[in-house]
Amino acid sequence: MDLLIKGSTELNKMFMALQRTASGLRRDFGEVENLQQSLRGARDFVKKASARIEESILSDLLLVRPAAGLLTPNTTHVGDGRDEFVLALSGASNFVRGNPHFAISLALRSNDETKIALVYSPIDERLYYAEAGSGAYVFSAFHSARIKVSNIASDAELTVAYNTTDNRPLVGDARRTGCPALDLAWVAAGKFDAYVSDPLDYAEIAAGDLILREAGGKIEMMADLVATNGKVEF
């Protein structure tokens, strides 16, 4: 097959599966924008759209690794116990309100290690991706480049994304975007310097975890999730 992006054939097959799924998701987004007078109706619609994502992409992914399992926030498809795809619609609350800041997060794990990771924003068609040991990249119709975390270490200069419910003091220029997968990708790309979050479903952060680490960042998932450029401490 002709490669679309720099990387393995498996990575490219996963990207093509994302693109096919994203085309339907863009149609769904157009529909949900017409439902803004009824948040309940919009939430129900987005829930169904999330289920369609899982159904539509699973058949494509099984062509990549036929015996693999599938893990999402809502379901588990048991595979061979070695390979597993981890999939989530990140930023679903934004999708509900007709906000285009959401993404599909997709990772391939083998023997409990993430090997391939993709975070794809369907509306602006921008992809952040990584393969273990090969660095992290961004790709769109207009831009393709390797990405690295920022070098900023001064608290006064930091831009930090938050997804927390406690009353902790905020550091630097605080942002709340509502899309954890893109927050992690943006730390990897140097758009944010750190991301601090309450615990999240692993399916939503599996891909961003590898992308960030391949870009030179650090991530800890304990009481809180803290992702940084490796130059700052929280």
Side-chain angles (χ1 to χ4, degrees):
M1 61 172 288
D2 294 330
L3 298 182
L4 300 176
I5 53 178
K6 178 183 176 65
S8 68
T9 299
E10 283 189 317
L11 169 68
N12 277 268
K13 287 181 177 178
M14 290 170 68
F15 181 36
M16 286 190 292
L18 279 184
Q19 288 179 306
R20 283 190 286 269
T21 298
S23 63
L25 197 58
R26 282 190 288 272
R27 291 193 296 271
D28 290 337
F29 183 70
E31 291 294 325
V32 83
E33 286 188 302
N34 297 326
L35 297 172
Q36 291 307 297
Q37 298 304 313
S38 170
L39 279 181
R40 177 179 296 178
R43 290 191 183 100
D44 288 344
F45 184 85
V46 171
K47 185 177 181 179
K48 292 176 182 177
S50 296
R52 285 198 299 274
I53 289 173
E54 296 172 11
E55 293 172 2
S56 66
I57 203 169
L58 180 57
S59 58
D60 283 338
L61 293 179
L62 290 180
L63 295 176
V64 180
R65 293 277 179 102
L70 177 69
L71 174 67
T72 81
N74 304 310
T75 187
T76 299
H77 172 77
V78 179
D80 60 8
R82 185 191 71 174
D83 298 327
E84 181 178 57
F85 291 105
V86 185
L87 173 71
L89 174 62
S90 184
S93 60
N94 288 338
F95 193 164
V96 167
R97 297 303 300 265
N99 180 335
H101 193 73
F102 61 90
I104 308 171
S105 174
L106 175 62
L108 172 61
R109 290 174 58 79
S110 295
N111 297 319
D112 296 323
E113 293 186 1
T114 304
K115 301 297 186 181
I116 300 176
L118 306 95
V119 172
Y120 187 54
S121 174
I123 303 306
D124 65 6
E125 300 182 66
R126 187 177 301 273
L127 174 73
Y128 296 91
Y129 69 96
E131 290 188 271
S134 298
Y137 298 83
V138 62
F139 171 83
S140 72
F142 308 103
H143 181 59
S144 180
R146 188 163 184 169
I147 56 175
K148 289 286 189 181
V149 295
S150 71
N151 289 314
I152 295 175
S154 168
D155 286 357
E157 297 179 340
L158 295 178
T159 298
V160 182
Y162 286 90
N163 178 37
T164 55
T165 55
D166 58 22
N167 294 318
R168 76 178 66 205
L170 303 183
V171 178
D173 184 2
R175 307 291 176 86
R176 296 183 185 273
T177 77
C179 184
L182 283 175
D183 285 339
L184 290 172
W186 284 15
V187 176
K191 299 175 184 292
F192 292 153
D193 306 302
Y195 173 58
V196 181
S197 174
D198 293 339
L200 293 165
D201 191 297
Y202 182 69
E204 193 162 16
I205 60 174
D209 176 17
L210 178 63
I211 293 168
L212 175 62
R213 289 187 285 107
E214 286 293 324
K218 295 182 179 180
I219 184 167
E220 294 183 354
M221 291 172 277
M222 300 176 71
D224 294 327
L225 184 152
V226 179
T228 74
N229 60 6
K231 312 296 191 301
V232 296
E233 297 289 339
F234 282 83

